[in-house]
Amino acid sequence: MKLIVGGSTGFVATEIIRQALSNPAVTSIIALGRRETPVPPNAGPGADETKLKSVLLNDFENYSDATKKELAGADACIWTLAVTPSKYKSFPWDDVVKVCRTYTAKALETMSQLPRGDATKPFRFIYVSGVNSERDQSKKPLILGDYCLMRGAVETLVLDYATQSNGTVEACIAKPGVINAPGHTRPLWQKGFYALIGLPNIQVTEIAASLLDQAINGVREKDTLSNEDMVVMGQRVLAEREQEKAGVVDN
Ligand SMILES: NC(=O)c1ccc[n+]([C@@H]2O[C@H](COP(=O)([O-])OP(=O)(O)OC[C@H]3O[C@@H](n4cnc5c(N)ncnc54)[C@H](OP(=O)(O)O)[C@@H]3O)[C@@H](O)[C@H]2O)c1
């Protein structure tokens, strides 16, 4: 299958690409970003780096014909492109909304209208949001209220688009808490704050494995994955991948 990773230079996307490079079910990865996407470090011995193609886009509100050609034939997209909560105060609010909402809507609309790899199956769009994003616009969270409502509205937009697509689009929303990785450090105050407000944790390997599984095998059971769903799914998938690799070595 051909997979698009949107926001491909980011923390989560890098791990998704790293795992996809050694997953035989993924035959092609389009890394869509505003900067060149390098092959992730520690790609591993089974990684096929030739599957990765970095595609640059200057303006995420306008997809050129050349860009559309690169994206055509994809079966799924994992969309990680956003201004994250820790960075959003550095930008004017309108720009944050443009990146988080307008760019997501445009990506979904553009990609879902392109020819798919397997026309008998829906195009899968997996949107990475956050645990506290709030869909109910009357319930403004106390912390990062406007931001959480805005991201919740994007979740609704994605799910509504799929519902209205006559079965041509399948959507999934991922709602992780704090995503951790060895060497991915945060200031102490931030760690303390996250613990204080009770955010759940997940390893980047786990979320990447679970989202990749959704992209490859289709949205299973439900259209919204909680942090805990992804921990359980991610650990299962990672264990299966280890067993497969051990089997290859044994044979
Ligand atoms: N990290 C966490 O602990 C965490 C927790 C919960 C939810 N999430 C969610 O998971 C998703 C991915 O998070 P992440 O930590 O991987 O984020 P990240 O490392 O900041 O990556 C974000 C991606 O979006 C791109 N981007 C940002 N602003 C852009 C703009 N104006 N134009 C074009 N591209 C732009 C970045 O490009 P550049 O590299 O060029 O800047 C990068 O590719 C986000 O939706 C985030 O809210 C993350």
Side-chain angles (χ1 to χ4, degrees), residues 144-158:
L144 299 175
D146 289 326
Y147 180 87
C148 292
L149 284 182
M150 183 271 293
R151 296 294 304 264
V154 182
E155 294 180 8
T156 305
L157 180 155
V158 170

Side-chain angles (χ1 to χ4, degrees), residues 200-248:
N201 288 271
I202 185 166
Q203 290 297 316
V204 75
T205 48
E206 294 165 348
I207 182 171
S210 65
L211 300 186
L212 211 44
D213 186 64
Q214 296 282 107
I216 296 167
N217 296 311
V219 174
R220 301 189 192 190
E221 294 168 37
K222 45 187 176 177
D223 61 21
T224 301
L225 296 177
S226 69
N227 190 82
E228 181 59 19
D229 290 335
M230 290 183 283
V231 169
V232 171
M233 192 188 293
Q235 287 180 357
R236 176 184 52 75
V237 173
L238 289 168
E240 285 169 4
R241 296 282 297 137
E242 281 307 313
Q243 276 173 357
E244 280 165 22
K245 278 190 214 157
V248 170

Side-chain angles (χ1 to χ4, degrees), residues 18-203:
R18 193 189 69 78
Q19 291 188 18
L21 285 174
S22 53
N23 190 317
V26 181
T27 50
S28 163
I29 308 158
I30 299 296
L32 185 65
R34 62 178 167 180
R35 298 185 289 119
E36 188 76 28
T37 304
V39 173
N42 308 320
D48 178 356
E49 298 176 7
T50 63
K51 294 194 292 188
L52 180 65
K53 178 149 194 195
S54 175
V55 174
L56 301 189
L57 193 56
N58 292 326
D59 178 1
F60 281 82
E61 290 182 278
N62 288 296
Y63 286 67
S64 67
D65 287 344
T67 304
K68 286 182 188 167
K69 209 170 157 190
E70 297 287 5
L71 303 178
D75 302 280
C77 169
I78 305 177
W79 191 256
T80 69
L81 192 153
V83 180
T84 58
S86 60
K87 295 178 190 159
Y88 95 96
K89 286 254 157 84
S90 317
F91 301 96
W93 176 244
D94 286 353
D95 288 357
V96 176
V97 176
K98 184 170 77 170
V99 174
C100 294
R101 188 170 66 201
T102 314
Y103 288 5
T104 306
K106 192 68 192 175
L108 179 52
E109 185 194 315
T110 305
M111 292 172 193
S112 63
Q113 288 172 11
L114 293 170
R116 293 193 294 284
D118 182 347
T120 63
K121 290 188 183 150
F123 180 74
R124 293 169 187 149
F125 191 86
I126 296 159
Y127 175 64
V128 185
S129 184
V131 67
N132 285 344
S133 298
E134 177 56 63
R135 290 180 201 166
D136 184 341
Q137 298 294 299
S138 68
K139 288 187 185 161
K140 187 169 173 173
L142 281 177
I143 299 165
L144 299 175
D146 289 326
Y147 180 87
C148 292
L149 284 182
M150 183 271 293
R151 296 294 304 264
V154 182
E155 294 180 8
T156 305
L157 180 155
V158 170
L159 290 174
D160 285 353
Y161 190 93
T163 305
Q164 290 158 16
S165 73
N166 290 325
T168 59
V169 177
E170 194 173 63
C172 175
I173 310 293
K175 291 175 77 69
V178 183
I179 306 174
N180 298 309
H184 187 73
T185 52
R186 291 188 169 87
L188 260 183
W189 70 262
Q190 203 176 30
K191 283 195 211 166
F193 177 66
Y194 288 163
L196 192 71
I197 61 173
L199 287 182
N201 288 271
I202 185 166
Q203 290 297 316

